[in-house]
Structures are given as structure tokens and as C-alpha cells.
Amino acid sequence: MDIDAFSAVHGDKWSRLHFLAHKRRLTGAEADELLRLYQTVSGHLSLIRSVAPETGLSASLSAALAQARTRFTGARSNFMEDLARFFVISLPAAFYRIRWLTLWCGLAFVLVAGAYALWIGTSPEALRAVASSDAKVQQYVEEDFIDYYSENPAASFAGAVWTNNAWISAQAVAFGITGFWVPFILFMNAQGLGIAAGLFLATGKMDIFFSYILPHGLMELTAVFIACAAGLKIFWAMVRPGPRTRLQAVADEGRSLITIALGLVLVLLISGIVEGFVTPSPLPVWAKIAIGALVLAGYWVYTLVLGRSAVRAGVTGDMDANDAGYRSIAA
């Protein structure tokens, strides 16, 4: 076989294959054409290798076919593009879709914590049930509560806080489908915070309590509310699947909320850094609270601005059809 003559006859098809294989987006007709060319050029390559297996032409056609095969299988090679899509589109969309549930979880938490704080802070009987003596109350308010934030090195403390909060959030997402685990987590954490606030209220030192809670707590607690909202979203998909089957609804929401779980790792890392380095720092109280407020504001701007745009474009935070296993050949 004359390789030069063979190339002259089929060169246009090879060039077209290379062009389509590297084109960023394909129409339906172009995808069909690419598949046909892939099959045709595979035959050409076999013929060429039977005559001259080690040539530049053979290597060139192999590379073009490999790129075309990548398009068919939907494989991704641009990690940075995927990473940018996750943080700019998928994650804010997933946060945005549960924004109202996040706020409702936060409201329920505040009501329960506030009720406990008022009960313990204004009722001597309730205060005695929590602390057996005035000395124990004073020790907690003046020493134990404050020392908790500074008794360990900042980096070590931040890591421990991150791990603990990530564990709580993971439970909320993973066991949210049960329907009772999220209310349980919310109640137990609200109760704990309310009792602590009640002890400070009883001693007239709520300013100290807020100076240590607000810098990191604004974002840290919001992260817990987000995780709880994600868990409730899965539960509600099971209860009210809509036009989808119950299994499909749970699978769709579950994949979307994996996105949230991954995003919360970063959110909780930031709040852990604030708790480890800002909360116990000698900065003025107003500066520490301002830092916490800026972190929280950053989250909501990120969610509402980028998330709204992504959701309007049809993004849910779920995997695309190819990654989810709904199709095996990508156009």
C-alpha cells in the first residue's frame, strides 16, 4: 500500500476527526459525525500499522483517536476547570437551593437556645439544677468557659474544632434521611449553648459570653444549620418525591448534597481558624466580632449572588448526567 497516496485520499477525514475531537462543544450532528469518523479512521490506522507500524502518521492518528475516545466516554482531563466549576457554579447552587431551610434551622436553634438561656438565667431552681453551687457557676463563667479557647495551641485547637464540627455536620447530612436525627442534633446543640448562655445571664456577664461566641459562632453555627438543612432536604425528597420515583428523588438529592458536604469542609475550616486564632486573641471585641460577621457575610454573598445565577441557569449541584451514570457516551 502506498502510504502517501492513502494519505492524500483520506487526509480530509483525518483532519476533520482531529478538529471535532478537540472542539470545545459539539452539536448533535457533529457528535454523530465524530463517531462515524472514529470508526472509519480506526480502520485506516489498522491498515497503516499493518504496513508501517512505527511512523509519525500512525502516532498522529492514534492521538486523534484517543482524543475522540475521550469525548465519547466523557472523561475529563482539565482538573482546574472542574475545580472552578465546583466552586463557582455547583457549590453555590447547592447552598442556594437550601437557603430557606438553613434559615428555618437557624431560627429553631435560636428559639430553643434562647428559651434555655432565659429559663436558667432567671430561675434560681433551674440554675441549681445545672450547677450545684454559686462557686461552680463562677468557676465556669470566669475560668472554664474562657480557658477552653486558649488552653491549647491555636493551630491544634483549630484542627480539633474543625474535626468535631465536621463530624456533627457529616452526621446531619448522612442521617438526615431518618427524619429525626436533624431535630435531635439541633436540639442538643441548642440546649448546650442555651445552658451556657443561661449561666452567664444569671451572673450578669452576657457581654463576655457574646464576645467569645460571636466571632466564630456566626459562621460555625450557620455551617451546622446548612448541614441540617441538607439532611432535611434528603428526608423531604423521600416523603415528597414529586414526579420522580422515591428512589430517584433520594438519589438526586443525595448527590446534590454530597456537594454541600464537600463545601462544608472548607466552610468549617474557615470557622475553625477563626475560633482558634481570632476568638482567644487580644484584639478588641468589636474587631473580633467584625471578623466573624465578615466571614458570615461572605458566605451569604457567595450563596445568594453566585447561587442565584447558577440555579437560574438550571444547575442544582447534582452531578451531570454522565457522571451520575445516566449516559455512557458524551456528545
Side-chain angles (χ1 to χ4, degrees), residues 180-219:
F180 71 85
W181 194 254
V182 166
F184 174 75
I185 288 177
L186 278 175
F187 179 81
M188 293 303 296
N189 282 274
Q191 182 188 54
L193 185 66
I195 291 173
L199 295 176
F200 277 87
L201 180 61
T203 56
K205 297 181 178 181
M206 286 298 289
D207 57 329
I208 296 177
F209 175 78
F210 285 124
S211 71
Y212 277 89
I213 286 293
L214 290 181
H216 65 275
L218 290 171
M219 190 66 254

Side-chain angles (χ1 to χ4, degrees), residues 48 53 65 153 177 201 220 303 317:
I48 292 172
L65 287 169
I177 195 171
L201 180 61
E220 180 180 89
T303 297

Side-chain angles (χ1 to χ4, degrees), residues 101-115 183 186-187 190 225:
L101 265 177
T102 300
L103 293 175
W104 281 114
C105 288
L107 178 61
F109 183 95
V110 170
L111 290 176
V112 172
L186 278 175
F187 179 81
F225 304 154

Side-chain angles (χ1 to χ4, degrees), residues 34 135 241:
L34 179 61

Side-chain angles (χ1 to χ4, degrees), residues 22-308:
H22 289 82
K23 187 176 180 182
R24 186 176 181 81
R25 294 187 183 279
L26 299 176
T27 65
E30 287 174 333
D32 292 340
E33 182 185 2
L34 179 61
L35 181 57
R36 290 193 299 270
L37 286 171
Y38 176 84
Q39 295 169 335
T40 301
V41 176
S42 294
H44 295 168
L45 180 60
S46 296
L47 287 173
I48 292 172
R49 281 179 169 172
S50 68
V51 176
E54 300 297 334
T55 63
L57 177 59
S58 175
S60 176
L61 290 181
S62 294
L65 287 169
Q67 179 63 26
R69 187 164 55 250
T70 296
R71 299 300 299 271
F72 297 146
T73 59
R76 295 168 182 253
S77 59
N78 193 332
F79 171 75
M80 295 307 297
E81 182 178 337
D82 288 345
L83 192 65
R85 176 180 173 80
F86 175 81
F87 283 109
V88 177
I89 300 175
S90 299
L91 182 59
F95 282 155
Y96 185 80
R97 291 181 63 232
I98 61 168
R99 65 194 184 285
W100 290 114
L101 265 177
T102 300
L103 293 175
W104 281 114
C105 288
L107 178 61
F109 183 95
V110 170
L111 290 176
V112 172
Y116 268 95
L118 287 174
W119 179 42
I120 293 171
T122 58
S123 170
E125 293 79 11
L127 183 63
R128 291 292 173 267
V130 175
S132 58
S133 66
D134 291 340
K136 289 187 176 297
V137 174
Q138 292 298 326
Q139 179 179 347
Y140 178 80
V141 170
E142 296 177 1
E143 298 178 22
D144 296 348
F145 182 84
I146 297 173
D147 290 346
Y148 167 75
Y149 295 99
S150 56
E151 61 185 358
N152 293 307
S156 175
F157 180 60
V161 168
W162 181 29
T163 303
N164 178 67
N165 291 330
W167 172 238
I168 294 173
S169 298
Q171 291 180 66
V173 175
F175 300 126
I177 195 171
T178 62
F180 71 85
W181 194 254
V182 166
F184 174 75
I185 288 177
L186 278 175
F187 179 81
M188 293 303 296
N189 282 274
Q191 182 188 54
L193 185 66
I195 291 173
L199 295 176
F200 277 87
L201 180 61
T203 56
K205 297 181 178 181
M206 286 298 289
D207 57 329
I208 296 177
F209 175 78
F210 285 124
S211 71
Y212 277 89
I213 286 293
L214 290 181
H216 65 275
L218 290 171
M219 190 66 254
E220 180 180 89
L221 291 175
T222 299
V224 173
F225 304 154
I226 295 166
C228 288
L232 289 176
K233 187 75 172 175
I234 298 178
F235 171 70
W236 194 245
M238 182 181 67
V239 174
R240 293 283 299 274
R244 302 170 292 182
T245 65
R246 206 174 302 277
L247 183 61
Q248 182 185 356
V250 171
D252 291 346
E253 294 300 340
R255 287 193 305 270
S256 298
L257 299 177
I258 288 175
T259 300
I260 291 178
L262 293 174
L264 283 178
V265 173
L266 179 60
V267 172
L268 289 169
L269 173 61
I270 294 172
S271 66
I273 291 173
V274 173
E275 186 169 1
F277 291 91
V278 176
T279 298
S281 72
L283 289 172
V285 172
W286 65 266
K288 293 190 287 186
I289 295 177
I291 291 173
L294 285 173
V295 172
L296 180 63
Y299 164 78
W300 282 110
V301 169
Y302 172 78
T303 297
L304 296 178
V305 175
L306 295 182
R308 181 185 292 112

